[in-house]
Amino acid sequence: GFLHYMVDSCEFNSSKLNDVEYIYSHYYNKLEYVRFSSSVGKFVGYTEVGIKNAERLNNGPEVINRRAQKERYCFHNVGIFTESALTKS
């Protein structure tokens, strides 16, 4: 069978917002074909289909929504994670 899935992730070394990178990736059959990275600020395609999708997503409202996710999704969750990790150490 075929499997399509999306992954949201936050990579960080500290709880400071400028040290956090938000990544949103689309996969098909375990192959990443398009990714949004807050470091780049836009979608990037890795396959022929991914390049076409990245162009479409970068010209629509989706790119604006993803740019805001770093603060909305990552900063909130990084704060919860670091707080709970520090209280258990």
Side-chain angles (χ1 to χ4, degrees), residues 55-82:
E55 185 177 310
R56 178 182 55 82
L57 292 166
N58 286 328
N59 291 320
E62 182 68 18
V63 73
I64 295 166
N65 180 40
R66 291 294 155 195
R67 287 179 183 153
Q69 286 295 87
K70 177 180 176 179
E71 186 170 341
R72 228 177 314 174
Y73 179 76
C74 289
F75 196 58
H76 172 74
N77 289 314
V78 167
I80 291 170
F81 175 79
T82 54

Side-chain angles (χ1 to χ4, degrees), residues 38-58:
S38 63
S39 300
V40 178
K42 65 179 185 175
F43 286 90
V44 176
Y46 298 111
T47 65
E48 185 177 337
V49 171
I51 292 168
K52 289 178 184 177
N53 277 289
E55 185 177 310
R56 178 182 55 82
L57 292 166
N58 286 328

